[in-house]
C-alpha cells in the first residue's frame, strides 16, 4: 500500500525526532497569539458553504501562485463561481511543488478534513464534495474548527476604534475551550500620508474614545482611553506592521506643531511624518509597559507595489514583497529610548528580509533585563519566510545567538481558519532539528530534558509570557 504524502512521520527523519514529536508535541494546545481571523466569524460561529469560501477567499499566497501560473483574475478575485475558482486552484497545485504552498495545501486537507488524496484537476471534484459535506456539519463551523484544532487562545488584530462587540458577545456565550482576545493595532493612528483619510480616522477615534481631539495631548488621551478599554477586554498584546522602526529625533513642541497641522487637514513633510511616527511609537511602548503588554514589531514588508492592481483590488491582495530597508540602527534607537526610561515592554521582533535574521537574533540580547525570562523575543519566521527553510534558519539564528529554549514559538498570522496545521508543521520541524542532533551526539540524548524543551517552545513559554487574564503559567487555571 502506498504511503500517503502527509503521513504520521512527515518531516521527521530520525527515530528520536519521531519520539519527540509524538510523545511531547503532538497533543499540545495551540496559542495563536497573532492572526487576522475575523472576530465576527468566530462570534457568530460562521458556517462556510464550500471549500472556496473558507480556503481561497482572502488568501493572497494562493492568489500569487495562481497569477504566476497564468490563471485569469476572474478565477481569483473576480466573479467566477466558487467551484470555478476551486477548480483553477486544483489545476495550479501540482505546479507548486517545492513552493511551501504544496505542503500547506495538503496539510490543510489532511487536518482537519482527513483528506490524504493529492489535489489536482482529476481529484478536485471528489475533494470538493468531500470537504463541502463536512463543512455542512457543526464540527466545521468556525468555532468547531477551533475546537477541533485544539486552539486554546486566538488573538485577533484590531484597530483602537473597534468596538470589540464581537469579543464581548463571544465571551458572554461562554463558547467552550477557545478564548478569543483582541490585539491592539494602532498603525492607522500613524498613517498621516493621506490627510483626508487621517481626518476621518480622528473622527472615528473621537467617537470611540469620547474625547474631543483638539491637540496632541487630547489625541494621546483618546488613544490611551482605547488602550485601557482593550485591556479591560482581555487584550495583552499590541502589534505594528512597519517598514522599519521609527526612531527619528524630535522634541515635544515639534510634535505638537506637527499635529496642529494635521488636525487642520494640512499635509506635512516626510521628515515631519517620521518625527510624528517616532513620537507615537514611544507613547505606544510606554502604554504597553504600563499595562504589562507584549508589543510586536513586524518589520520589512514593501507593500502595494503594483499601482494598477492597488487601484483595482486594494491592499492585502498579493502585491507585496520583501523590502530592503535599514533595520538595525533605527530599531536599536527605538528600543534604547524606551529602555533608558526603564519602560521597554516585552517585545517580539519579526523580520521579513532573511538577511536580517542574525541582526534580530543579536538585537534582542541588547535589551534582556535579567528580570523577565525571554523579555525580548526573536519572532517566528514571518510571511514569505513562513516555510521549512525559513523556520529552520530562524531557529538556527536564535539558537546560535540567543536562547532557543525561551522561544515563544509559532503563530498563524493568517486570514484562514484552515491555517492551524502551521503549528503542527513548526513542531515537526523543531522536533526534527533537535532529534537529529540528539542522534548525532550534538545535544544530550535525554528525552526528558529535550522533550520538556519541545513542550516549552511549542506551548508553555507562550502561555507564561503573554499573561492572558485568568491563565496561570503551569496550566492549572
Amino acid at each position: 500500500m502506498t504511503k500517503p504524502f502527509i503521513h504520521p512521520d512527515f518531516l521527521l527523519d530520525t527515530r528520536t525526532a519521531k519520539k519527540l514529536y509524538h510523545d511531547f508535541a503532538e497533543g499540545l494546545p495551540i496559542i495563536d497569539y497573532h492572526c487576522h481571523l475575523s472576530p465576527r466569524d468566530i462570534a457568530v460561529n460562521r458556517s462556510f458553504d464550500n471549500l472556496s469560501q473558507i480556503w481561497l477567499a482572502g488568501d493572497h499566497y494562493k492568489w500569487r501562485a495562481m497569477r504566476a501560473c497564468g490563471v485569469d483574475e476572474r478565477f481569483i478575485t473576480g466573479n467566477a463561481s466558487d467551484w470555478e475558482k476551486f477548480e483553477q486552484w486544483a489545476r495550479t497545485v501540482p505546479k507548486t511543488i517545492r513552493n511551501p504552498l504544496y505542503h500547506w495545501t495538503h496539510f490543510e486537507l489532511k487536518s482537519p478534513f482527513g483528506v490524504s488524496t493529492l489535489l489536482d484537476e482529476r481529484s478536485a471534484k471528489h475533494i470538493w464534495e468531500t470537504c463541502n459535506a463536512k463543512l455542512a456539519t457543526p464540527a466545521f463551523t468556525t468555532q468547531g474548527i477551533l475546537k477541533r484544532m485544539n486552539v486554546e487562545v486566538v488573538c485577533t488584530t484590531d484597530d483602537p476604534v473597534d468596538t470589540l462587540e464581537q469579543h464581548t458577545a463571544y465571551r458572554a456565550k461562554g463558547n467552550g475551550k477557545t478564548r478569543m482576545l483582541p490585539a491592539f493595532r494602532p498603525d492607522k493612528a500613524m498613517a498621516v500620508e493621506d490627510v483626508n483619510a487621517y481626518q476621518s480616522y480622528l473622527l472615528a477615534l473621537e467617537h470611540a474614545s469620547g474625547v474631543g481631539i483638539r491637540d496632541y495631548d487630547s489625541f494621546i488621551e483618546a488613544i490611551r482611553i482605547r488602550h485601557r478599554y482593550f485591556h479591560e477586554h482581555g487584550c495583552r498584546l499590541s502589534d505594528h506592521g512597519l517598514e522599519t522602526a521609527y526612531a527619528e529625533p524630535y522634541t515635544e513642541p515639534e510634535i505638537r506643531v506637527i499635529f496642529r497641522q494635521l488636525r487642520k487637514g494640512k499635509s506635512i513633510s516626510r521628515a515631519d511624518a517620521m518625527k510624528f511616527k517616532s513620537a507615537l511609537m514611544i507613547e505606544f511602548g510606554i502604554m504597553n509597559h504600563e499595562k504589562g503588554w507584549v508589543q510586536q514589531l513586524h518589520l520589512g514588508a514593501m507593500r502595494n507595489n503594483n499601482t494598477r492592481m492597488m487601484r483595482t483590488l486594494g491592499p492585502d491582495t498579493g502585491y507585496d514583497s520583501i523590502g530592503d530597508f535599514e533595520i538595525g540602527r533605527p530599531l536599536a534607537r527605538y528600543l534604547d529610548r524606551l529602555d533608558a526610561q526603564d519602560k521597554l515592554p516585552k517585545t517580539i521582533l519579526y523580520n521579513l528580509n532573511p538577511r536580517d535574521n542574525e541582526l534580530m537574533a543579536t538585537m534582542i540580547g541588547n535589551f534582556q533585563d535579567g528580570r523577565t525570562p525571554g523579555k525580548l523575543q526573536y519572532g517566528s519566521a514571518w510571511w514569505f519566510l513562513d516555510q521549512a527553510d525559513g523556520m529552520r534558519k530562524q531557529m538556527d539564528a536564535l539558537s546560535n545567538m540567543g536562547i532557543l529554549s525561551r522561544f515563544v514559538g509559532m503563530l498563524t498570522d493568517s486570514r484562514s481558519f484552515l491555517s492551524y496545521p502551521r503549528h503542527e508543521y513548526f513542531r515537526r520541524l523543531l522536533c526534527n532539528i533537535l532529534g537529529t542532533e540528539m542522534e548525532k551526539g550534538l545535544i544530550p540524548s535525554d528525552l526528558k530534558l529535550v522533550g520538556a524543551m519541545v513542550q516549552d517552545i511549542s506551548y508553555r513559554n507562550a502561555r507564561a509570557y503573554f499573561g492572558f487574564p485568568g491563565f496561570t503559567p503551569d496550566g492549572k487555571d
Side-chain angles (χ1 to χ4, degrees):
M1 184 176 179
T2 305
K3 181 189 291 187
F5 178 58
I6 305 298
H7 55 85
D9 294 330
F10 187 80
L11 295 176
L12 304 172
D13 297 330
T14 66
R15 181 189 61 80
T16 307
K18 295 170 187 176
K19 190 79 173 167
L20 284 173
Y21 177 71
H22 294 301
D23 290 359
F24 294 94
E26 188 171 17
L28 291 174
I30 288 171
I31 293 179
D32 191 18
Y33 55 89
H34 175 68
C35 75
H36 297 278
L37 295 178
S38 162
R40 185 182 185 280
D41 285 351
I42 297 173
V44 302
N45 201 21
R46 179 184 173 185
S47 297
F48 296 89
D49 293 336
N50 56 60
L51 200 49
S52 283
Q53 289 183 11
I54 193 173
W55 208 27
L56 301 183
D59 192 336
H60 50 80
Y61 291 78
K62 294 184 177 71
W63 295 352
R64 285 170 68 97
M66 293 169 78
R67 290 171 187 140
C69 290
V71 175
D72 188 272
E73 196 66 30
R74 187 171 77 87
F75 299 101
I76 301 172
T77 61
N79 60 5
S81 69
D82 287 346
W83 159 250
E84 289 174 315
K85 291 178 178 179
F86 178 77
E87 185 180 31
Q88 289 295 328
W89 170 239
R91 290 175 176 173
T92 301
V93 168
K95 299 179 177 66
T96 68
I97 288 176
R98 292 208 84 236
N99 183 287
L101 281 165
Y102 198 78
H103 284 178
W104 294 139
T105 293
H106 293 100
F107 260 91
E108 290 165 4
L109 289 173
K110 178 69 175 177
S111 179
F113 293 108
V115 172
S116 298
T117 306
L118 295 180
L119 178 59
D120 57 26
E121 186 176 3
R122 293 169 299 174
S123 65
K125 194 69 173 179
H126 172 71
I127 290 175
W128 172 260
E129 292 173 350
T130 299
C131 293
N132 288 352
K134 293 188 176 184
L135 287 171
T137 67
F140 286 83
T141 61
T142 54
Q143 293 178 21
I145 290 170
L146 292 173
K147 180 180 179 181
R148 189 179 187 87
M149 299 306 297
N150 200 16
V151 180
E152 187 172 84
V153 179
V154 55
C155 294
T156 58
T157 300
D158 310 279
D159 190 275
V161 304
D162 291 343
T163 65
L164 306 185
E165 60 185 303
Q166 304 297 343
H167 297 79
T168 302
Y170 178 81
R171 186 171 61 250
K173 291 178 182 177
N175 288 287
K177 181 175 182 180
T178 303
R179 299 182 65 182
M180 177 172 68
L181 300 172
F184 193 75
R185 177 87 173 237
D187 289 358
K188 289 183 179 179
M190 298 188 292
V192 296
E193 288 77 11
D194 185 332
V195 176
N196 292 330
Y198 196 66
Q199 294 302 308
S200 297
Y201 184 77
L202 292 178
L203 288 173
L205 182 58
E206 282 188 325
H207 178 75
S209 66
V211 173
I213 299 175
R214 304 172 306 279
D215 52 23
Y216 182 67
D217 290 336
S218 54
F219 170 61
I220 294 299
E221 179 59 21
I223 294 175
R224 186 174 289 277
I225 285 171
R226 297 307 296 169
H227 194 277
R228 188 182 310 130
Y229 179 82
F230 270 59
H231 187 82
E232 292 166 354
H233 283 71
C235 180
R236 296 297 182 267
L237 295 98
S238 72
D239 177 52
H240 297 278
L242 312 173
E243 290 183 349
T244 187
Y246 300 133
E248 296 300 308
Y250 64 87
T251 65
E252 290 294 333
E254 281 183 303
I255 301 304
R256 288 187 169 86
V257 170
I258 291 169
F259 187 79
R260 278 202 299 270
Q261 293 294 101
L262 289 168
R263 197 67 185 103
K264 292 175 183 177
K266 296 182 179 180
S267 298
I268 61 175
S269 68
R270 185 181 185 280
D272 281 349
M274 294 301 291
K275 288 181 180 182
F276 184 69
K277 294 173 191 242
S278 299
L280 279 186
M281 285 301 296
I282 294 298
E283 295 287 352
F284 297 144
I286 291 171
M287 291 179 203
N288 294 334
H289 179 267
E290 289 172 349
K291 287 288 189 288
W293 287 12
V294 176
Q295 69 176 4
Q296 301 175 90
L297 305 182
H298 288 84
L299 304 175
M302 189 161 62
R303 301 175 187 269
N304 307 318
N305 297 285
N306 188 319
T307 304
R308 178 175 60 86
M309 296 309 292
M310 176 65 178
R311 285 197 301 262
T312 304
L313 299 176
D316 302 321
T317 50
Y319 297 94
D320 312 306
S321 63
I322 292 171
D324 57 354
F325 313 103
E326 182 186 21
I327 300 291
R329 280 182 290 190
L331 179 57
R333 285 197 301 267
Y334 171 66
L335 297 173
D336 191 53
R337 284 179 187 173
L338 289 168
D339 186 74
Q341 307 172 59
D342 199 17
K343 292 184 178 179
L344 177 63
K346 290 183 282 188
T347 301
I348 307 177
L349 305 176
Y350 306 85
N351 61 290
L352 196 54
N353 194 321
R355 70 171 190 190
D356 297 324
N357 284 8
E358 284 76 16
L359 186 160
M360 291 298 198
T362 55
M363 183 65 72
I364 63 173
N366 297 330
F367 298 98
Q368 306 290 12
D369 64 6
R371 292 173 287 181
T372 304
K375 177 179 177 177
L376 272 286
Q377 289 277 329
Y378 177 25
S380 62
W382 169 48
W383 200 342
F384 293 108
L385 307 184
D386 181 10
Q387 26 77 6
D389 183 59
M391 290 183 197
R392 291 188 193 101
K393 287 178 178 175
Q394 184 269 347
M395 285 189 273
D396 284 344
L398 180 56
S399 298
N400 288 328
M401 299 169 193
I403 303 295
L404 180 64
S405 62
R406 300 306 317 181
F407 182 31
V408 294
M410 189 57 178
L411 64 158
T412 62
D413 189 32
S414 177
R415 292 170 171 79
S416 172
F417 285 88
L418 298 185
S419 291
Y420 283 103
R422 293 185 185 185
H423 285 260
E424 176 185 345
Y425 197 84
F426 168 83
R427 291 171 180 179
R428 287 175 179 270
L429 287 168
L430 171 66
C431 291
N432 198 54
I433 290 168
L434 296 175
T436 299
E437 293 190 355
M438 287 171 73
E439 295 203 0
K440 289 180 177 179
L442 298 175
I443 58 178
S445 184
D446 184 334
L447 279 171
K448 184 176 180 181
L449 173 67
V450 182
M453 181 177 173
V454 165
Q455 292 179 322
D456 287 342
I457 296 168
S458 299
Y459 170 67
R460 293 192 300 226
N461 286 346
R463 185 182 176 97
Y465 184 73
F466 293 109
F468 296 123
F471 273 28
T472 58
D474 60 7
K476 297 177 181 178
D477 303 326

